[in-house]
Amino acid sequence: MSPFLLLAALLPAIILLVRVYRLDTIEKEPSSLLWKLVLFGALSGVVAAGIEWALIWVLDQIFTQSTLLYLVLENFVIVAGTEELCKRWPVKRFAWNSPAFDYRFDAVVYCVFSAVGFAALENVLYVAQYGFGTAVTRALLSVPGHFFFAVYMGLYLGEAKLFERMGDYGRSRRFMQYSLFVPMLLHGFWDFCLSFQSWIMTIVFYAFVLVFFLSANRRLTIASRTDEPV
């Protein structure tokens, strides 16, 4: 892989990491923790790929491909569920009980760093295989998609941590569940739309992406401005 293609694959991830890092205005997170999240986020992509391959093989033995049920299970449960769970694992493992996790927006930073690590490795592999055109397309869609899925994950994880510190473990568990299921639904719908080769679903997909990116970006900036201790 040429240095130019490698830079094209990694640049979108770097830009998004810098953006969320700058939005964390009250107290910056330890660089060692952030690098660990990026590294294990990338490694979680390898794990996710193996799990997805095995589960899709099982799915192929049970259901006919391209049926509606098959596509729902493949996109919402296997792909979105596996990837979002794998991206959240480094945050739960390394950041959840860290003393550095003392503000609500910290959860957004942690989730984004893990997810963008995941997306960066995925992007490098795709660009190495398909070239610069793929780098451009993924820079505009796939990498920001992972970024904004992670924003929603982090928003709910921040609420979960806040309620845990308050001793309200019921609400904490509920927001912990939201931190997985909401990104799963967003990610699953994204992939589900792309599963259809029709102009109607193409329109639906781009309309969804536009609304999703704008609303997620708005929530990201509001969360940064209204950050509070947990």
Side-chain angles (χ1 to χ4, degrees):
M1 187 177 187
S2 71
F4 173 74
L5 282 181
L6 181 62
L7 178 62
L10 292 178
L11 187 59
I14 294 170
I15 291 172
L16 293 174
L17 289 180
V18 169
R19 178 159 188 261
V20 78
Y21 186 79
R22 287 180 173 176
L23 285 172
D24 188 20
T25 56
I26 296 179
E27 182 182 81
K28 299 298 185 185
E29 304 312 298
S31 58
S32 58
L33 175 58
L34 296 180
W35 280 113
K36 187 179 293 184
L37 291 171
V38 170
L39 173 61
F40 280 90
L43 293 176
S44 75
V46 179
V47 176
I51 295 172
E52 287 173 42
W53 179 87
L55 291 178
I56 289 175
W57 182 87
V58 173
L59 189 66
D60 289 340
Q61 312 310 307
I62 302 173
F63 298 101
T64 303
Q65 290 188 9
S66 299
T67 62
L68 182 60
L69 179 58
Y70 181 98
L71 293 175
V72 168
L73 291 173
E74 179 189 31
N75 292 301
F76 285 91
V77 179
I78 295 178
V79 176
T82 299
E83 292 189 5
E84 297 307 321
L85 189 61
C86 285
K87 286 185 286 186
R88 196 182 68 169
W89 179 83
V91 180
K92 286 284 291 168
R93 174 65 179 81
F94 299 110
W96 184 257
N97 294 314
S98 170
F101 191 177
D102 52 0
Y103 278 85
R104 192 168 54 176
F105 192 75
D106 294 349
V108 176
V109 177
Y110 300 149
C111 290
V112 165
F113 269 72
S114 178
V116 172
F118 181 106
L121 177 62
E122 184 181 66
N123 217 34
V124 167
L125 296 176
Y126 272 104
V127 172
Q129 185 173 1
Y130 298 110
F132 182 71
T134 297
V136 174
T137 303
R138 292 183 60 82
L140 296 175
L141 291 172
S142 300
V143 178
H146 283 292
F147 174 85
F148 285 122
F149 300 148
V151 166
Y152 276 93
M153 180 182 289
L155 291 173
Y156 288 114
L157 274 182
E159 295 294 327
K161 174 58 77 172
L162 179 63
F163 284 115
E164 181 188 74
R165 292 279 172 85
M166 294 170 58
D168 191 341
Y169 298 107
R171 295 180 76 177
S172 178
R173 284 192 298 271
R174 191 178 314 135
F175 278 100
M176 184 67 70
Q177 293 167 353
Y178 294 160
S179 74
L180 179 61
F181 292 139
V182 171
M184 273 180 61
L185 289 174
L186 294 167
H187 191 163
F189 187 73
W190 176 298
D191 289 346
F192 182 76
C193 290
L194 293 176
S195 298
F196 292 88
Q197 301 296 322
S198 74
W199 65 270
I200 294 177
M201 290 306 293
T202 300
I203 293 174
V204 170
F205 171 72
Y206 283 109
F208 165 72
V209 169
L210 179 63
V211 173
F212 169 48
F213 280 10
L214 290 175
S215 60
N217 187 67
R218 180 174 178 273
R219 293 197 63 177
L220 174 66
T221 54
I222 290 174
S224 171
R225 291 199 303 265
T226 60
D227 196 13
E228 63 178 344
V230 296

